[in-house]
Coordinates of all heavy atoms in Angstrom, one line a residue:
P12 N 45.3 84.6 -29.7 CA 45.7 85.7 -28.8 C 46.9 85.4 -28.1 O 47.6 86.4 -27.7 CB 44.5 85.8 -27.8 CG 43.8 84.4 -27.9 CD 44.1 83.9 -29.2
E13 N 47.3 84.3 -27.8 CA 48.6 83.8 -27.1 C 49.2 82.7 -27.9 O 48.5 82.0 -28.7 CB 48.4 83.4 -25.7 CG 47.7 84.4 -24.8 CD 47.4 83.8 -23.5 OE1 47.9 82.8 -23.1 OE2 46.6 84.4 -22.8
S14 N 50.5 82.4 -27.7 CA 51.2 81.4 -28.4 C 50.7 80.0 -28.1 O 50.9 79.0 -28.8 CB 52.7 81.4 -28.2 OG 53.0 81.1 -26.8
Q15 N 50.0 79.8 -26.9 CA 49.5 78.5 -26.5 C 48.0 78.5 -26.4 O 47.4 77.6 -25.8 CB 50.1 78.1 -25.2 CG 51.6 78.0 -25.1 CD 52.1 76.9 -25.9 OE1 52.7 77.1 -27.0 NE2 52.0 75.7 -25.4
L16 N 47.3 79.4 -27.1 CA 45.9 79.5 -27.0 C 45.2 79.8 -28.4 O 45.7 80.7 -29.1 CB 45.5 80.6 -26.0 CG 44.0 80.8 -25.7 CD1 43.5 79.7 -24.9 CD2 43.8 82.1 -25.0
L17 N 44.1 79.1 -28.6 CA 43.3 79.3 -29.8 C 42.0 79.9 -29.3 O 41.5 79.4 -28.3 CB 43.0 78.1 -30.6 CG 44.2 77.5 -31.4 CD1 43.7 76.1 -32.0 CD2 44.6 78.4 -32.6
Q18 N 41.5 80.9 -30.0 CA 40.2 81.5 -29.6 C 39.2 81.4 -30.8 O 39.6 81.8 -31.9 CB 40.3 82.9 -29.1 CG 39.1 83.5 -28.7 CD 39.3 84.8 -28.0 OE1 40.1 85.0 -27.1 NE2 38.6 85.9 -28.5
I19 N 38.1 80.7 -30.6 CA 37.1 80.5 -31.7 C 35.9 81.3 -31.3 O 35.2 81.1 -30.3 CB 36.7 79.0 -31.9 CG1 38.0 78.2 -32.2 CG2 35.7 78.8 -32.9 CD1 38.6 77.4 -31.1
T20 N 35.6 82.3 -32.2 CA 34.4 83.2 -32.0 C 33.3 82.8 -33.0 O 33.5 83.0 -34.2 CB 34.8 84.7 -32.1 OG1 35.9 84.9 -31.3 CG2 33.7 85.5 -31.8
P21 N 32.2 82.2 -32.6 CA 31.2 81.8 -33.5 C 30.4 83.0 -34.1 O 30.3 84.0 -33.4 CB 30.3 80.9 -32.7 CG 30.5 81.2 -31.3 CD 31.9 81.8 -31.2
F22 N 30.0 82.8 -35.3 CA 29.2 83.9 -35.9 C 27.8 83.9 -35.3 O 27.2 85.0 -35.1 CB 29.0 83.7 -37.4 CG 30.4 83.7 -38.2 CD1 30.6 82.7 -39.1 CD2 31.3 84.6 -37.9 CE1 31.8 82.7 -39.8 CE2 32.6 84.6 -38.6 CZ 32.8 83.7 -39.6
D23 N 27.4 82.7 -34.9 CA 26.1 82.6 -34.2 C 26.3 81.9 -32.9 O 26.8 80.8 -32.8 CB 25.1 81.7 -35.1 CG 23.8 81.4 -34.4 OD1 23.5 82.0 -33.3 OD2 23.0 80.6 -34.9
P24 N 26.1 82.6 -31.7 CA 26.4 82.0 -30.4 C 25.7 80.7 -30.2 O 26.1 79.9 -29.3 CB 25.9 83.1 -29.4 CG 25.8 84.3 -30.2 CD 25.6 83.9 -31.6
G25 N 24.6 80.4 -30.9 CA 23.9 79.1 -30.8 C 24.7 77.9 -31.2 O 24.4 76.8 -30.8
N26 N 25.8 78.1 -31.9 CA 26.7 77.1 -32.4 C 27.9 76.8 -31.4 O 28.7 76.0 -31.7 CB 27.3 77.4 -33.8 CG 26.1 77.3 -34.8 OD1 25.2 76.6 -34.7 ND2 26.3 78.2 -35.8
L27 N 27.9 77.5 -30.3 CA 29.1 77.4 -29.4 C 29.3 75.9 -28.9 O 30.4 75.5 -29.0 CB 28.8 78.3 -28.2 CG 30.0 78.7 -27.4 CD1 30.9 79.6 -28.2 CD2 29.5 79.5 -26.1
Q28 N 28.2 75.3 -28.5 CA 28.4 73.9 -27.9 C 28.8 73.0 -29.1 O 29.6 72.1 -28.8 CB 27.1 73.5 -27.3 CG 26.7 74.2 -26.0 CD 27.8 74.1 -24.9 OE1 28.4 73.0 -24.8 NE2 28.1 75.2 -24.3
A29 N 28.2 73.2 -30.2 CA 28.6 72.3 -31.4 C 30.0 72.4 -31.8 O 30.7 71.4 -32.0 CB 27.7 72.6 -32.6
I30 N 30.5 73.7 -31.7 CA 32.0 73.9 -32.0 C 32.9 73.2 -31.0 O 33.8 72.5 -31.3 CB 32.2 75.4 -32.1 CG1 31.5 76.0 -33.3 CG2 33.7 75.7 -32.2 CD1 31.6 77.5 -33.4
A31 N 32.5 73.4 -29.7 CA 33.3 72.8 -28.6 C 33.3 71.3 -28.7 O 34.3 70.6 -28.6 CB 32.8 73.2 -27.3
S32 N 32.1 70.7 -29.0 CA 32.0 69.3 -29.1 C 32.8 68.7 -30.3 O 33.5 67.7 -30.2 CB 30.6 68.9 -29.3 OG 29.8 69.2 -28.2
A33 N 32.8 69.4 -31.4 CA 33.5 69.0 -32.7 C 35.0 69.0 -32.4 O 35.7 68.0 -32.8 CB 33.2 69.9 -33.8
I34 N 35.5 69.9 -31.6 CA 37.0 69.9 -31.3 C 37.3 68.9 -30.3 O 38.3 68.2 -30.5 CB 37.3 71.3 -30.8 CG1 37.2 72.4 -31.9 CG2 38.8 71.4 -30.3 CD1 37.3 73.8 -31.5
R35 N 36.4 68.7 -29.3 CA 36.7 67.7 -28.3 C 36.6 66.3 -28.8 O 37.4 65.5 -28.4 CB 35.7 67.9 -27.1 CG 35.9 67.1 -25.9 CD 35.0 67.4 -24.8 NE 34.9 68.8 -24.3 CZ 34.0 69.6 -24.5 NH1 32.9 69.3 -25.1 NH2 34.1 70.9 -24.1
D36 N 35.7 66.1 -29.8 CA 35.5 64.7 -30.2 C 36.5 64.3 -31.4 O 36.4 63.2 -31.8 CB 34.1 64.6 -30.8 CG 33.0 64.8 -29.7 OD1 33.4 64.6 -28.5 OD2 31.8 65.1 -30.0
N37 N 37.4 65.2 -31.8 CA 38.3 64.9 -32.8 C 39.6 64.2 -32.1 O 40.3 64.9 -31.5 CB 38.8 66.2 -33.6 CG 39.6 65.8 -34.8 OD1 40.5 65.0 -34.7 ND2 39.4 66.5 -35.8
P38 N 39.7 62.9 -32.3 CA 40.8 62.2 -31.6 C 42.2 62.6 -32.1 O 43.2 62.5 -31.4 CB 40.6 60.7 -31.8 CG 39.7 60.7 -33.0 CD 39.0 62.0 -33.1
A39 N 42.3 63.1 -33.3 CA 43.6 63.5 -33.9 C 44.2 64.7 -33.2 O 45.4 64.8 -33.1 CB 43.5 63.7 -35.4
L40 N 43.3 65.5 -32.7 CA 43.8 66.8 -32.1 C 44.1 66.5 -30.6 O 45.1 67.1 -30.1 CB 42.7 67.9 -32.2 CG 42.5 68.4 -33.5 CD1 41.3 69.4 -33.5 CD2 43.7 69.1 -34.1
G41 N 43.3 65.8 -29.9 CA 43.5 65.5 -28.5 C 43.4 66.9 -27.7 O 44.2 67.0 -26.7
L42 N 42.5 67.7 -28.0 CA 42.4 69.0 -27.3 C 41.2 69.1 -26.5 O 40.2 68.4 -26.8 CB 42.4 70.2 -28.4 CG 43.7 70.3 -29.2 CD1 43.5 71.3 -30.3 CD2 44.9 70.6 -28.3
N43 N 41.2 69.9 -25.5 CA 40.0 70.0 -24.6 C 39.6 71.5 -24.5 O 40.1 72.3 -23.8 CB 40.3 69.5 -23.2 CG 39.1 69.4 -22.4 OD1 37.9 69.3 -22.8 ND2 39.3 69.4 -21.0
P44 N 38.5 71.8 -25.4 CA 38.1 73.3 -25.4 C 37.2 73.6 -24.2 O 36.6 72.8 -23.6 CB 37.3 73.4 -26.7 CG 36.8 71.9 -26.9 CD 37.8 71.0 -26.3
S45 N 37.2 74.9 -23.9 CA 36.3 75.4 -22.9 C 35.6 76.7 -23.4 O 36.2 77.4 -24.3 CB 37.0 75.8 -21.6 OG 38.0 76.8 -21.9
D46 N 34.4 76.9 -23.0 CA 33.7 78.1 -23.5 C 33.1 78.9 -22.3 O 32.8 78.4 -21.3 CB 32.5 77.7 -24.5 CG 31.4 77.0 -23.8 OD1 30.5 77.7 -23.3 OD2 31.4 75.7 -23.8
D47 N 33.0 80.2 -22.6 CA 32.5 81.1 -21.6 C 31.1 81.7 -21.9 O 30.7 82.7 -21.4 CB 33.5 82.2 -21.3 CG 33.7 83.1 -22.5 OD1 33.1 82.9 -23.5 OD2 34.6 84.0 -22.4
G48 N 30.5 81.1 -22.9 CA 29.2 81.6 -23.4 C 29.3 82.5 -24.6 O 28.3 82.7 -25.3
R49 N 30.4 83.0 -24.9 CA 30.6 83.8 -26.1 C 31.7 83.3 -27.1 O 31.5 83.3 -28.2 CB 31.0 85.3 -25.7 CG 29.9 86.0 -24.9 CD 30.5 87.3 -24.5 NE 31.7 87.0 -23.9 CZ 32.7 88.0 -23.6 NH1 32.5 89.2 -23.9 NH2 33.8 87.7 -23.1
V50 N 32.8 82.8 -26.5 CA 33.9 82.2 -27.3 C 34.3 80.9 -26.8 O 34.1 80.6 -25.6 CB 35.1 83.2 -27.3 CG1 34.8 84.5 -28.0 CG2 35.7 83.4 -26.0
V51 N 34.9 80.1 -27.7 CA 35.5 78.8 -27.3 C 37.1 79.0 -27.2 O 37.7 79.6 -28.1 CB 35.3 77.7 -28.3 CG1 35.9 76.4 -27.9 CG2 33.7 77.5 -28.4
R52 N 37.6 78.6 -26.1 CA 39.1 78.8 -25.9 C 39.7 77.4 -25.9 O 39.1 76.5 -25.2 CB 39.4 79.6 -24.7 CG 39.1 81.0 -24.8 CD 39.7 81.8 -23.6 NE 39.4 83.2 -23.8 CZ 38.2 83.8 -23.5 NH1 37.3 83.1 -22.9 NH2 38.1 85.1 -23.7
V53 N 40.8 77.2 -26.6 CA 41.4 75.9 -26.7 C 42.9 76.1 -26.2 O 43.7 76.8 -27.0 CB 41.4 75.3 -28.0 CG1 42.1 73.9 -28.0 CG2 40.0 75.2 -28.5
R54 N 43.3 75.6 -25.0 CA 44.7 75.8 -24.6 C 45.4 74.6 -25.2 O 45.0 73.5 -25.3 CB 44.7 75.6 -23.1 CG 46.0 75.8 -22.5 CD 46.4 76.9 -21.5 NE 45.6 78.0 -21.4 CZ 46.0 79.2 -21.7 NH1 47.1 79.5 -22.3 NH2 45.3 80.3 -21.4
I55 N 46.6 75.0 -25.9 CA 47.4 74.0 -26.6 C 48.5 73.5 -25.6 O 49.3 74.4 -25.2 CB 48.1 74.6 -27.8 CG1 47.1 75.2 -28.7 CG2 49.0 73.6 -28.5 CD1 46.1 74.3 -29.3
P56 N 48.5 72.3 -25.2 CA 49.5 71.8 -24.2 C 50.9 71.8 -24.8 O 51.0 71.5 -26.0 CB 49.0 70.4 -23.8 CG 48.1 70.0 -25.0 CD 47.5 71.2 -25.6

């Protein structure tokens, strides 16, 4: 949605935490996702 932001919309909201954890736990990316209960947002530093 913005040049410094990724937005991940899960097909099943039950996978929201798993998606956020997978992104957070990937050391190559070094990103810190946040979720609002519907989507995961990842700000790119």
Side-chain angles (χ1 to χ4, degrees):
E13 299 173 21
S14 66
Q15 299 293 105
L16 182 72
L17 289 171
Q18 182 171 307
I19 300 103
T20 309
F22 302 136
D23 175 7
N26 292 328
L27 199 67
Q28 292 302 319
I30 292 170
S32 296
I34 295 169
R35 190 176 298 113
D36 296 342
N37 188 319
L40 291 175
L42 299 173
N43 191 19
S45 62
D46 69 85
D47 63 3
R49 293 176 312 164
V50 295
V51 176
R52 289 188 177 84
V53 182
R54 182 120 342 246
I55 307 298

